[in-house]
Structure formats: C-alpha cells, structure tokens
Amino acid sequence: MKLCIALDSKSKEENLKLAKELKEYSKDIWLKVGFRSYIRDCKEFIIELKKMGYNIFLDLKLYDIPNTMADASEEIAKLGVDMFNIHASAGKKAMGAVIERLSKFKKRPLVLAVTALTSFDEEEFKKIYGSDIKTKAKEFALLSYEAGLDGVVCSVWESKEIKEITGKDFITLTPGIRPFKEEAEDQKRVATIQEAKENLVDFIVVGRPIYKAKNPKEVVKKILKEIQ
Ligand code: C5P
C-alpha cells in the first residue's frame, strides 16, 4: 500500500514547504495535486514537484464528451504526471477514448476512474444515481475495467469487492482516510489505515490529517510505519 498526500493547502508556498519537508520520503510517497493547486499554480508547480523526485497524481476528475476527454488526457500526459483521474459516469466510450489516445505515449500515466465521491452519504447518492453506493461503485468499476483503465477511486468499503469482480491488479485508491481516527470533517465514508489494509487498498489519500497537523513529518512517519 502506498501513501498519497493531498496538497490542498491554501497557498503554493505552504504546499512547497510540505513537499520540501518530506523530500527524504519522495521515493515512498505520492503527491496529489487537485483543483485548488492546479488552477492556481498551473504546470510550473508540477514541474517543481517532479524535480524533487515525487510521483504525481493529478486529481482533476475529467468529465466531458469522449473527444474532449481524450484531448485533455493527451495534454495531461504531456505534463509528465504519473497518474490522473476521470469520472466513470462519463461512460465506457469516453474512458475508452482516453486510453486509446494515450496509447501513443511510450510511457503513459496511470488512469483511474472516480466511482462515488467519498463525501456522499447513501441518501444524497441515491437521489442522484438512483442506487446504493456499493452497487453503483461496483458497476462503475467494472465499466472502467472493461474500458481498459488501470483502476478506480473509491472508498475503502468498496475496495475488496471491486477487486473480486475486476482483478487483484486493478488499482484501488481511497480518499476519506483518517489514519488514526481523526476528525472526518466533510468526508462521510471514512476509514483507518488498518481498515484500508484489510480491504486490499493500493493507495490511500490523506489530506487534512497531514497538512493541517502541527508536525506533518511526524504524522507521515507514523503512517509509513503503519502501512509497511
Ligand atoms: O483532507 P482529506 O484527507 O479529506 O482529502 C481528501 C482528498 O481526496 C481531497 O483532495 C479530495 O478532493 C480528494 N477526493 C475525495 N474523494 C474522492 C476523490 C478525491 O475526497 N472520491
């Protein structure tokens, strides 16, 4: 299992400070660049993080028509990131178009599909998708697998069953991690590291419990020890 840290701080300086502070672990951890950082700090930020030796997960959750998604994916691959994500609900054709477009790259980034956001509770999810979370997340995962994607973003509570219907190498990346039972805040389907391990998760994403901690490095050290 790998640790991916969400760089969601309110300034580029704060994110870079954290990345520099954790540089000795750059081979062991991934950094997640999301909407906030990418919109504000653009591709120069990615370049700076890559220079420090980190693997980068660009979390932009693409959702559009197939051609537009394929075009955007090609540009993302040119940025040199190692992984990015798209919405499974964009459909199999759109996901297939993304993979097809990336096939021209010698080394392409991993592509994951978002199933159900971990901030959804059952009631809100049902209003939008007309189904319970687990059933839909599994349907989306199967669709992504058939479209040739590398894995999915899901909650810890769907990871094991998704692997059963796809394959053990189909990646599961799970946000909503509260490593040692910290405050859930806006997340609804949270889990600890131990629970992620039991559910065969490949990547855990941790944001606020690290970047809002008094001593982020200590928290990272503790997490790395626990995930070994
Ligand atoms: O601070 P916290 O640990 O809750 O951060 C979780 C990160 O994972 C955020 O950057 C959020 O955008 C992202 N994420 C999520 N649920 C998903 C996909 C991404 O929470 N399904």
Side-chain angles (χ1 to χ4, degrees), residues 6-8 32 34 57 59 61 85 114-119 153-154 173 175-178 184-187 189 205-209 211:
L7 291 183
D8 293 334
K32 182 174 91 63
F57 168 34
D59 179 16
K61 302 183 181 70
N85 57 1
V114 177
T115 56
L117 298 174
T118 42
S119 53
V153 182
C154 59
L173 174 142
I177 300 292
R178 293 298 175 258
E185 300 184 72
D186 61 341
Q187 298 282 20
R189 291 169 302 128
V205 175
V206 186
R208 286 163 288 187
Y211 70 79

Side-chain angles (χ1 to χ4, degrees), residues 161-198:
E161 287 185 42
I162 285 176
K163 280 180 181 278
E164 279 163 16
I165 56 165
T166 55
K168 68 172 175 32
D169 296 331
F170 194 61
I171 297 168
T172 56
L173 174 142
T174 63
I177 300 292
R178 293 298 175 258
F180 309 104
K181 291 195 191 302
E182 295 88 340
E183 190 58 47
E185 300 184 72
D186 61 341
Q187 298 282 20
K188 291 286 180 337
R189 291 169 302 128
V190 296
T192 62
I193 295 178
Q194 201 46 45
E195 289 162 334
K197 259 190 194 171
E198 286 160 15

Side-chain angles (χ1 to χ4, degrees), residues 126-165:
K126 190 154 196 180
K127 268 190 202 150
I128 302 172
Y129 294 96
S131 159
D132 67 281
I133 295 174
K134 199 173 238 180
T135 306
K136 201 54 159 185
K138 280 161 67 180
E139 268 174 40
F140 279 150
L142 198 56
L143 210 62
S144 327
Y145 177 73
E146 287 167 0
L149 263 67
D150 303 293
V152 285
V153 182
C154 59
S155 91
V156 163
W157 309 109
E158 293 110 39
S159 170
K160 206 168 172 181
E161 287 185 42
I162 285 176
K163 280 180 181 278
E164 279 163 16
I165 56 165

Side-chain angles (χ1 to χ4, degrees), residues 94-113:
M95 291 193 278
V98 166
I99 293 297
E100 161 76 32
R101 184 69 68 85
L102 294 177
S103 64
K104 66 176 170 191
F105 291 89
K106 224 190 261 159
K107 187 181 174 283
R108 68 159 177 84
L110 296 169
V111 189
L112 306 184

